[in-house]
Amino acid sequence: MTATLDRDVTLAPIDTPRRIGTALAMVLAPWGFVVANAAYAVATGNGGSDETGADSLALSAAHPTPLRVSTIAALLGCLLIIPATLGAMGFTRQRANRLGLIGGSLMIGGYVAYFGVVMGGFVTLAMAERGGPTGDYAAVLDAGSEAAIPFLLLFVAGNLLGTLLLGIALLRARTVPIWAAAGICAWPVLHVTGLVAGTEWFEVAGATLQAVGFAALAVRLARTS
């Protein structure tokens, strides 16, 4: 289905270097989460999880390489999603400004919080590689996870609700193809589906659709003078 765009809606003036840089971030950021989720899916393909400190240590010891790749990709995605989200918010400025502002702000806050949480993955990997008092290590990781609960809740709000609100704002604004906005909305839907189904591959599919949606926004932004 071909979307009908509102040609009367224009973006705020933006200089060429910043426009191209923002467009690149919109292309690259979501793929960081595609790689992160795919690598984690590989690590947990034969079972295992990171629900507890002991589980995280066992998973890191068994699959250090995919987990390291997942951690690095997620960190890069968290950094690049900030300018990418700001760029996406620009498409909602006239027709869905308030909804786009709320959704985008939640997304940015959530991924900033998630950056700090993801950094802990390097500590878990180091513990697993070093070996030693596994019980003590697990207790430390569990204590750290409890302290990080407020930041995880902020991430959940930004990752799920924020992304969905931004996608809906893009649908209402009619400044980008409907399928692009729908792709962004698909991420939180498929993420929740994956949590319920117990498989990470739903998250991989959702992240891929989100990446395609952001890429469409990037192309439109790059072509806008």
Side-chain angles (χ1 to χ4, degrees):
M1 179 174 61
T2 302
T4 301
L5 304 184
D6 191 335
R7 299 298 181 181
D8 295 331
V9 178
T10 58
L11 298 176
I14 180 172
D15 58 271
T16 299
R18 186 153 58 96
R19 186 176 72 250
I20 300 302
T22 301
L24 285 174
M26 294 170 80
V27 171
L28 296 175
W31 286 104
F33 302 117
V34 174
V35 173
N37 283 280
Y40 185 76
V42 170
T44 58
N46 294 322
S49 71
D50 55 1
E51 293 182 2
T52 68
D55 292 338
S56 296
L57 287 170
L59 191 64
S60 295
H63 306 283
T65 299
L67 290 179
R68 182 169 283 105
V69 170
S70 178
T71 300
I72 294 172
L75 290 174
L76 292 175
C78 287
L79 291 174
L80 293 173
I81 200 66
I82 296 174
T85 301
L86 291 172
M89 291 167 65
F91 287 99
T92 70
R93 189 157 291 156
Q94 292 185 349
R95 293 293 182 85
N97 183 48
R98 182 173 299 179
L99 190 60
L101 178 62
I102 294 172
S105 298
L106 273 175
M107 278 186 68
I108 291 172
Y111 281 108
V112 168
Y114 189 53
F115 184 90
V117 173
V118 171
M119 283 290 292
F122 290 124
V123 176
T124 305
L125 286 166
M127 287 178 171
E129 291 175 355
R130 180 179 179 85
T134 304
D136 291 341
Y137 286 165
V140 170
L141 293 176
D142 287 335
S145 296
E146 292 178 4
I149 287 177
F151 301 98
L152 283 171
L153 292 177
L154 176 58
F155 167 63
V156 170
N159 181 37
L160 300 181
L161 180 59
T163 304
L164 184 62
L165 291 178
L166 180 61
I168 293 173
L170 291 168
L171 287 171
R172 291 180 58 187
R174 295 192 300 164
T175 53
V176 299
I178 291 176
W179 59 264
I184 293 174
C185 291
W187 160 245
V189 175
L190 288 175
H191 185 79
V192 173
T193 303
L195 293 175
V196 174
T199 173
E200 191 74 15
W201 292 109
F202 279 103
E203 281 94 325
V204 176
T208 302
L209 290 175
Q210 178 181 234
V212 172
F214 265 99
L217 269 62
V219 171
R220 184 158 168 79
L221 177 61
R223 292 176 176 175
T224 303
S225 61

